[in-house]
Amino acid sequence: MANNNRIVVPEARAALDQLKLEIASELGMSNYDNMDKGNLTSRQNGYVGGYMVKKLVESAQNQMAGK
């Protein structure tokens, strides 16, 4: 299976990492950066990624709508 999780715009890495930490914190995973992700359930890890996508799509839609 190919790894499609590469960042297309490398300059965005820091912002994406910050967004990931903010969302994990909102979901009650306050020390997400230092957690062993292997000890988290797939559901917990999936929530972080899912909410990241949701926020990014919302941001893009607002930008397209001129908000």
Side-chain angles (χ1 to χ4, degrees), residues 11-60:
E11 297 83 6
R13 180 177 300 279
L16 289 170
D17 287 342
Q18 183 61 36
L19 178 62
K20 183 188 312 178
L21 294 177
E22 288 173 15
I23 289 172
S25 180
E26 289 174 15
L27 295 173
M29 295 178 243
S30 59
N31 199 17
Y32 191 76
D33 198 27
N34 297 319
M35 283 182 173
D36 178 4
K37 309 312 183 282
N39 288 331
L40 296 175
T41 66
S42 295
R43 182 176 297 246
Q44 288 172 309
N45 280 315
Y47 278 147
V48 175
Y51 279 97
M52 281 182 71
V53 171
K54 182 178 177 180
K55 290 251 186 183
L56 291 170
V57 168
E58 181 181 310
S59 176

